Structure formats: structure tokens, C-alpha cells
């Protein structure tokens, strides 16, 4: 080969090498810039890497990322997190756990984030079955893991049972299943009161429509125990898949059961399917309970405006739970064109973590644990104080949740409506769908 031919081969080799490098770069985890700084400004301090782990193809994971993004930008704009004498910017790392579709993917994704992306902390987690594995990985690597999207009490029970192993795990949002049950039953009681007053049904029948998932089991068991004392009859229990694309059979059966209330327990995409078909089929029962899809996001758009009158327990809405709630709610909606769902409270988790780091003066997990245990934080969801087993403290003066209902494209707060003296500006009375009124008043 002559010299010109050799030169051409070398050029071709370099082009292929660069192309391969670009392709490999495209497989890396998505990250934010290390800081929100003015153009040309470069931080001298290494960033603190925070992994945001969730099902990013779904609203729960997407809003985890967006809530964290808003918090990180605010902290970085103020100079970053003070670690001893040094201020360090936050760099978010998107960790797509794919846990809605494939539970084992979550643990693998978290381990890659720790070993390859070198994250310092972990926030997020959605499906209990997946988070149990994620929790083990975080414990093995001694990484602080603040859960912001999973409710099963087993997760914090592990902290109590094996503190030295699982002390790095905290739940800042949502409430655990037991506390969610308390709030949801209080909301159900409000719904039942309106049903009695407006429809004249003295002892309403309630149909439970709960997705097939571990986290719902304590709620179903609690409901069956609570209903008699609430003056309610159980019409039956239906268990569609969390990813079901049609619930016509279940809704048809519920219609035939004589139920006047549907008690939903749904965190997966089936919630949006239910809401649309509920209105299309004009099921003669008031829909309440837990429906994560109906908590916000693009719910109104994705249901084609069908989902009116669906109500759900919520973590926050456009109500002044704390001075931070409405500003966050409005900023999120303006920025992303969506109503934030509960998992967007990663916003709070980033600030809580930053506060603990500054108090500890470092990022050693063993030094951070006692600082996190001392958390007393005014969050967008209420006053956030951790229990001894690193869970959310529930009750008046802390976090209690909300009852929200879709009315003509707007998400309105209808509970608490005076419970324990709590009532927020803008709270309205629950509205029963006109087709339900027509059915029971005929």
C-alpha cells in the first residue's frame, strides 16, 4: 500500500472510531448539567450526583424527574450545596427503572447508576416489588435512598427490623399504605355523606376496583374491615391488571352489583383507562379512592376530556397546605403544561437531602443518617417529620393528603372540608355525576 493509500485508511479508521464513540455516548444515563449557571461560568467543585430512579416512560417517573429538576435548578442558582467549606452543584442522573413493565430491571438500573454513573445519592422508586430490590442494592453500597413514589409499609418496617442494614432508606413521599388508607377512608366517608344526602341511599354499596399489585393488599384488607363501621356494604372486589387496557367487564359487573360508590385503588396506567370508560359507560356510581393517573399529569388530555367527576386521594393540589404548595403547583403547571402528580414531590426530597448534607458538613452516608432523622421540613405536602423507622408522620399538623375531583377540566380540592379544623382556600363540595343522580332518582 502506498503512502496516500495508508493515509486514507488512517482517516477512515479515525472517522469510524469517532462514530463508535458517539454511539456509545448515546447509551449513557441522561444527566442534567452540573449547575444552572450563567453562560460561560464553570464550577470548580465536583458535582454531587443524585440519581432519580423511576419508570420514566410513565407519568410517575416523568414527574419524579421534573420535580427534582426544579429543585436542583433552584439550589444550583443559589450556589449549590455547601459541603463543609465548599459549595457543590447538583447533577441529576436519570435512572429509568422500567419497573412498571419489568420489575427486575429496577435493581439492575440502580446498580449501574451506582457503579457506572457513580451517583452519590438515590431518590425515587415506584413499584413496591421493584423498590424492595432497589433498597437492597442501596443498602449493599451504603447509599442514601429517599423513596418518593412507593407506599408499602414493609419498606420502612425493614428499617425497624434491621436498622444497621437499612438505615440509609427514608420515605419522604407518599404516605405509607396504612396512612393512605386512613386518609382515603376519611375521603370515602365524605363521599358517602354526599351520596346519602343527595341520593337518599341510607347504606351505600361499595365496589372495590383494585389493581393487581402488592401495595394494594393492605388497603383491600382494611377496607373490608372498615366498611361495616362506616355504614357501608361491600358489593364485591374486582382486580384488573395495573396495565390493563380495558375494564369494560369489571365495570359491567359493578353496574350489575348495585354499587353506588366505586372505591378505586390504582397506581398504574389502568387508572386512566378506568376513568375514560367510567364516563363513556355512565356507570351509576360515584368514583373515589386512589387513582394516580387522575391525580394530575396529562390526565384530561389523555382521556379526551372523559374522566369528569372522577375523584381520588391526592398528596397535593392547588391548595395552600403550606406556603410552598401553590407556588410549586403553579410553577410546575406553567413550565411543563401538566398538573403535578404525587411523585413530583422529589422536589422536597432534593431540598431535604441538601439540608442534611449542609448540617453534616459532608456526604458520608453514616453521618447523614442522623441528620436526616432530625428532619422537620415545611414541604409542598405538609410538615414533613420522619418517624423512628424513617417513614412519613401522618396526621393534623403534618401530612394528611387531599381529596380531589375533576370538574370540567379542573382538579378541585373537596377534602379536608373541616375535618380536624382543616379546610384550605378553594375547597369545594363533592359533585355527583348527573347520570348517577338520574339513575338513583328515577
Amino acid at each position: 500500500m502506498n503512502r496516500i493509500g495508508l493515509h486514507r485508511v488512517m482517516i477512515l479508521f479515525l472517522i469510524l472510531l469517532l462514530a463508535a464513540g458517539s454511539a456509545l455516548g448515546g447509551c449513557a444515563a441522561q444527566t442534567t448539567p452540573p449547575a444552572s449557571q450563567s453562560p460561560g461560568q464553570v464550577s470548580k467543585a465536583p458535582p454531587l450526583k443524585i440519581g432519580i430512579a423511576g419508570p420514566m416512560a410513565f407519568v410517575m417517573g416523568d414527574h419524579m424527574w421534573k420535580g427534582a429538576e426544579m429543585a436542583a435548578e433552584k439550589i444550583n442558582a443559589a450556589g449549590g450545596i455547601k459541603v463543609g467549606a465548599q459549595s457543590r452543584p447538583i447533577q441529576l442522573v436519570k435512572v429509568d427503572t422500567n419497573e412498571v413493565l419489568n420489575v427486575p430491571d429496577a435493581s439492575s438500573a440502580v446498580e449501574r447508576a451506582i457503579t457506572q454513573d457513580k451517583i452519590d445519592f438515590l431518590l425515587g422508586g415506584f413499584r413496591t416489588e421493584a423498590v424492595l430490590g432497589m433498597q437492597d442494592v442501596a443498602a449493599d453500597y451504603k447509599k442514601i435512598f429517599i423513596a418518593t413514589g412507593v407506599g408499602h409499609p414493609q419498606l420502612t418496617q425493614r428499617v425497624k427490623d434491621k436498622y444497621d442494614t437499612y438505615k440509609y432508606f427514608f420515605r419522604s413521599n407518599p404516605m405509607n399504605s396504612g396512612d393512605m388508607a386512613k386518609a382515603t377512608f376519611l375521603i370515602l366517608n365524605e363521599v358517602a355523606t354526599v351520596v346519602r344526602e343527595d341520593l337518599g341511599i341510607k347504606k351505600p354499596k361499595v365496589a372495590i376496583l383494585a389493581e393487581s399489585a402488592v401495595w394494594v393488599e393492605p388497603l383491600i384488607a382494611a377496607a373490608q374491615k372498615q366498611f361495616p363501621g362506616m355504614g357501608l356494604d361491600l358489593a364485591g372486589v374486582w382486580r384488573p391488571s395495573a396495565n390493563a387496557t380495558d375494564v369494560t367487564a369489571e365495570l359491567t359487573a359493578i353496574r350489575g352489583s348495585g354499587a353506588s360508590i366505586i372505591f378505586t385503588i390504582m397506581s398504574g396506567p389502568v387508572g386512566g383507562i378506568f376513568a375514560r370508560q367510567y364516563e363513556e359507560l355512565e356507570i351509576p356510581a360515584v368514583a373515589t379512592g386512589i387513582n394516580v393517573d387522575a391525580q394530575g399529569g396529562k390526565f384530561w388530555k389523555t382521556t379526551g376530556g372523559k374522566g369528569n367527576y372522577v375523584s381520588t386521594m391526592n398528596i397535593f393540589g392547588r391548595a395552600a397546605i403550606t406556603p410552598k404548595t401553590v407556588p410549586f403547583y403553579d410553577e410546575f403547571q406553567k413550565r411543563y403544561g401538566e398538573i403535578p402528580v404525587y411523585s413530583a414531590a422529589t422536589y422536597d426530597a432534593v431540598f431535604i437531602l441538601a439540608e442534611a448534607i449542609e448540617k453534616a458538613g459532608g456526604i458520608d452516608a453514616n453521618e447523614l443518617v442522623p441528620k436526616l432523622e432530625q428532619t422537620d421540613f415545611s414541604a409542598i405536602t405538609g410538615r414533613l417529620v420522619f418517624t423512628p423507622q424513617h417513614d412519613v408522620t401522618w396526621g393534623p399538623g403534618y401530612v394528611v393528603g387531599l381529596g380531589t375531583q375533576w370538574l370540567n377540566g379542573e382538579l378541585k380540592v373537596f377534602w379536608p372540608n373541616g375535618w380536624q379544623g382543616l379546610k384550605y382556600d378553594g375547597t369545594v363540595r363533592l359533585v355527583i355525576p348527573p347520570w348517577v343522580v338520574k339513575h338513583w332518582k328515577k
Side-chain angles (χ1 to χ4, degrees):
M1 183 181 294
N2 61 30
R3 186 175 298 177
I4 294 175
L6 179 62
H7 181 67
R8 287 174 178 170
V9 168
M10 289 297 294
I11 291 174
L12 179 60
F13 175 76
L14 288 171
I15 290 171
L16 290 172
L17 187 62
L18 288 170
S22 297
L24 289 171
C27 296
Q30 183 176 340
T31 63
T32 60
S36 297
Q37 299 170 329
S38 58
Q41 184 179 357
V42 179
S43 174
K44 295 180 181 179
L48 292 173
K49 290 187 175 184
I50 303 177
I52 309 301
M56 295 302 170
F58 296 86
V59 66
M60 300 76 68
D62 182 47
H63 282 211
M64 286 177 190
W65 177 261
K66 289 171 177 173
E69 185 175 53
M70 287 173 59
E73 288 183 5
K74 288 181 186 297
I75 291 171
N76 286 341
I81 299 175
K82 189 175 181 181
V83 186
Q86 190 178 46
S87 289
R88 297 177 63 177
I90 294 172
Q91 181 175 344
L92 300 181
V93 178
K94 184 177 288 188
V95 184
D96 187 358
T97 58
N98 194 40
E99 59 202 273
V100 171
L101 301 177
N102 189 10
V103 168
D105 285 353
S107 296
S108 300
V110 167
E111 188 150 24
R112 281 196 304 273
I114 293 172
T115 60
Q116 296 179 23
D117 300 314
K118 306 298 182 183
I119 62 169
D120 299 297
F121 308 100
L122 184 69
L123 308 182
F126 169 66
R127 181 70 73 206
T128 301
E129 299 91 319
V131 177
L132 287 166
M134 294 163 63
Q135 190 182 36
D136 285 333
V137 173
D140 287 343
Y141 287 95
K142 295 181 171 53
K143 294 291 181 183
I144 297 293
F145 178 12
I146 303 178
T148 60
V150 62
H152 201 287
Q154 181 182 355
L155 292 159
T156 50
Q157 183 64 35
R158 286 175 132 189
V159 177
K160 181 178 180 180
D161 294 343
K162 295 184 177 181
Y163 180 82
D164 288 341
T165 300
Y166 294 111
K167 64 184 178 181
Y168 310 104
F169 180 86
F170 293 78
R171 173 170 32 224
S172 68
N173 187 66
M175 304 172 286
N176 67 44
S177 298
D179 291 335
M180 279 192 279
K182 294 174 192 174
T184 306
F185 292 141
L186 287 165
I187 293 165
L188 175 61
N189 188 64
E190 178 80 8
V191 171
T193 298
V194 175
V195 166
R196 292 186 183 102
E197 291 175 353
D198 291 10
L199 301 181
I201 301 172
K202 293 183 179 179
K203 196 171 186 181
K205 282 187 176 182
V206 183
I208 297 176
L209 185 64
E211 69 185 23
S212 296
V214 172
W215 76 276
V216 309
E217 303 300 339
L219 286 170
I220 293 175
Q224 292 172 326
K225 291 180 180 178
Q226 291 289 329
F227 284 1
M230 297 172 68
L232 302 170
D233 281 336
L234 177 65
V237 180
W238 286 265
R239 302 293 303 275
S241 164
N243 301 321
T245 57
D246 184 85
V247 289
T248 302
E250 289 86 352
L251 289 175
T252 301
I254 288 171
R255 183 198 296 275
S257 74
S260 56
I261 298 173
I262 302 173
F263 187 69
T264 60
I265 313 175
M266 301 172 170
S267 64
V270 67
I273 301 298
F274 157 76
R276 178 170 53 79
Q277 293 184 328
Y278 164 75
E279 183 173 348
E280 287 176 346
L281 298 172
E282 295 192 348
I283 303 301
V286 180
T288 190
I290 299 173
N291 185 338
V292 172
D293 252 28
Q295 288 180 345
K298 297 179 180 178
F299 173 81
W300 195 250
K301 182 178 179 181
T302 56
T303 59
K306 292 179 179 178
N308 216 9
Y309 305 105
V310 168
S311 71
T312 178
M313 192 278 288
N314 220 327
I315 300 299
F316 51 78
R318 200 180 187 283
I321 303 171
T322 73
K324 297 177 181 178
T325 311
V326 172
F328 167 81
Y329 190 95
D330 289 348
E331 183 182 348
F332 191 101
Q333 196 167 12
K334 181 179 179 181
R335 176 168 178 168
Y336 300 112
E338 300 174 33
I339 292 173
V341 304
Y342 78 96
S343 59
T346 42
Y347 178 85
D348 288 325
V350 173
F351 281 104
I352 289 167
L353 178 61
E355 184 178 89
I357 291 170
E358 293 192 347
K359 286 180 178 178
I363 62 171
D364 179 81
N366 290 303
E367 293 178 4
L368 283 173
V369 167
K371 301 304 179 184
L372 284 167
E373 290 174 338
Q374 297 165 13
T375 297
D376 190 339
F377 185 78
S378 178
I380 55 179
T381 56
R383 180 186 172 199
L384 204 154
V385 175
F386 290 119
T387 68
Q389 58 196 57
H390 299 179
D391 214 336
V392 177
T393 301
W394 183 88
Y398 297 94
V399 175
V400 297
L402 300 172
T404 57
Q405 182 183 34
W406 283 94
L407 296 172
N408 301 317
E410 295 185 8
L411 193 59
K412 298 288 188 179
V413 174
F414 70 89
W415 185 90
N417 195 7
W419 173 76
Q420 295 288 322
L422 291 175
K423 185 172 182 177
Y424 307 114
D425 289 342
T427 301
V428 301
R429 188 174 185 270
L430 180 88
V431 178
I432 295 180
W435 66 83
V436 179
V437 174
K438 181 180 178 181
H439 175 86
W440 292 100
K441 286 290 191 178
K442 64 184 178 182

